[in-house]
Amino acid sequence: MLLFLLACDPSLSVSHDGLAVDADTGLGPLSEGLSLARGTQGTTTSDAMLAGPGTGARLGSSLLLLGDGDGDGLPDVLAAGLAETAQDRLDGGAWLSRGHGYGRGSVASSADLELEGAAGSLTGWSMCRGDLDGDGQQDLALGAPQHSASAPWAGALFVVPEASLGGGSINAFATAKVTGQEHHDRLGQALACGDVDGDGFTDLLVGAPGRDKGSTADAGVTYLLTGPLSAGTSLTGAVQLGGRWPFDRSGQSLLAADLDGDGFEDVVLGNPSEGTGGAVYVVRGSTSPASVRLWSADHRLQESKPDAEAGASLAVGDLDADGYVDLVVGAPGRSDSGEVLGIYGPLPSSMQLASADFRWRGLASGDRFGQSLALVDLDADGGADLVVGSPLSGDGDSGSVFVFLGAASGTSTAWSADARVRGAQDGDFLGRSLAATEASVESSGLLAIGAPGGAKGDKGLVVLYEIP
């Protein structure tokens, strides 16, 4: 997996292709100065597009937005790619660039350093950010679910201080490394950072969906590594949240968020492989988190539609601006096209996802609508807006991203979206990943969209929209 840390320039408006309305004209932009406009548009309406460094890089397979490390007024972007080699091996690496004036150039030509993962490890498949070692500075956690040092595909995770990133092997900069215990554990498939035990230190949640739980094969386990983390951190003694049944493969998607307003971040687990159609669980944070099997979770949201893959993606935010945190669940296999289901807070202890407060449905069979999600206030009205990735949408799997402003109710299709960005070419897979952050006193906000099949030779693209 290749990783690219990119710094963006707010002056990077690019020419339009006639599919969208220029925000500067005032003809229906989502918010003043935002280049993402209402209606359908191509990626050329973005503020910047960043191409991967070479053939098979597949930049944009996963994304993470960081702070403004270079003081240019915009968040930096951590972008990962599969980095397929001529030997069909998925290697790892990272490119750091804090330069200005990106535009449409190749990342490699502008990068300041290269951070390399182990061969075939998929380093960067999952990522999160927080002060994991308790020194007051931000750190990056990177999952490598196919890392094979301890056993084939046992997986690993790395913690790297953001301020000390340098060129070379990730092992040279990692202050903590934790490896999976057994063959095909796939430790690091999903990561989430948050203060689950309320002690003021950031904790790290790590999914290992291939891990057996006792005699339950491939039940999956999510480990809670309580902060501060150090070189001696290991899975020994870690709190374990174990899947319920064989082949549930729990721990494929994770979030840490305070859903009930008690000051503790809660653990949200998406289990798209569980049962008939997947499930979502919430385990509340507390001063003394304990190991449990998920049948003891505080909230259970169950999907009954076959092959729905509910929980493949997760997002939280206050869509209706009522002060409660809402939960949005991606089910990219539901109703063939994929669906996104929303539950307004506070969450019930148990429910069927068919009873969700709203559902958005994809356009056509196989679109994978809901593969990725983001919640961010795009129109500055105080409520979160929903961004949905549909990477197989369109003829030839060009992919699309849909924007839905504000609260919703009932069931509607993506034809009702307030905005849509379409991939430019067959096989772009636009919307495979999403990341978004709102404006702060330090920087503008940013919406980043991954298109790992974009650019000639599957170099991959990251499409950026500034949020003023």
Side-chain angles (χ1 to χ4, degrees), residues 49-337:
M49 290 198 297
L50 312 171
T55 299
R58 295 196 179 99
L59 182 70
S61 296
S62 60
L63 297 167
L64 180 68
L65 298 183
L66 312 183
D68 179 14
D70 57 355
D72 67 352
L74 278 175
D76 300 330
V77 183
L78 190 64
L82 297 181
E84 184 175 3
T85 68
Q87 296 77 33
D88 296 326
R89 188 181 65 201
L90 303 180
D91 283 356
W95 274 254
L96 172 65
S97 178
R98 298 192 185 280
H100 300 270
Y102 255 95
R104 298 171 182 273
S106 170
V107 173
S109 65
S110 305
D112 298 316
L113 59 87
E114 177 182 350
L115 185 64
E116 302 169 356
S121 64
L122 283 180
T123 299
W125 183 262
S126 59
M127 302 182 286
C128 69
R129 179 176 184 256
D131 179 12
L132 293 167
D133 56 9
D135 67 352
Q137 304 296 317
Q138 294 295 302
D139 307 295
L140 306 176
L142 298 94
Q146 291 183 188
H147 194 277
S148 299
S150 57
W153 288 21
L157 71 93
F158 300 87
V159 176
V160 180
E162 193 172 316
S164 63
L165 283 172
S169 169
I170 192 171
N171 287 302
F173 301 96
T175 56
K177 176 185 176 182
V178 180
T179 57
Q181 297 172 311
E182 295 182 356
H183 180 270
H184 274 240
D185 276 1
R186 293 186 63 87
L187 184 79
Q189 177 90 17
L191 297 174
C193 295
D195 187 5
V196 176
D197 57 6
D199 65 354
F201 293 105
T202 302
D203 308 314
L204 181 60
L205 294 159
V206 190
R211 179 71 174 163
D212 296 344
K213 185 60 178 173
S215 61
T216 310
D218 284 0
V221 171
T222 294
Y223 296 92
L224 172 61
L225 305 178
T226 54
L229 276 59
S230 67
T233 297
S234 73
L235 300 180
T236 303
V239 170
Q240 298 184 27
L241 309 178
R244 302 168 69 208
W245 309 111
F247 307 105
D248 277 359
R249 297 187 178 93
S250 180
Q252 294 183 60
S253 62
L254 295 169
L255 269 181
D258 185 2
L259 298 180
D260 52 11
D262 65 354
F264 297 94
E265 297 209 52
D266 307 308
V267 183
V268 187
L269 304 96
N271 291 0
S273 299
E274 180 179 321
T276 300
V280 176
Y281 294 89
V282 178
V283 178
R284 290 178 186 155
S286 68
T287 54
S288 301
S291 295
V292 297
R293 297 293 286 271
L294 289 180
W295 49 62
S296 300
D298 297 292
H299 302 270
R300 177 189 175 193
L301 313 177
Q302 194 71 40
E303 177 55 66
S304 58
K305 276 204 170 186
D307 303 317
E309 300 177 54
S313 58
L314 303 165
V316 293
D318 189 0
L319 285 160
D320 53 1
D322 66 349
Y324 291 104
V325 177
D326 309 315
L327 174 64
V328 181
V329 177
R334 199 175 203 273
S335 301
D336 294 329
S337 61

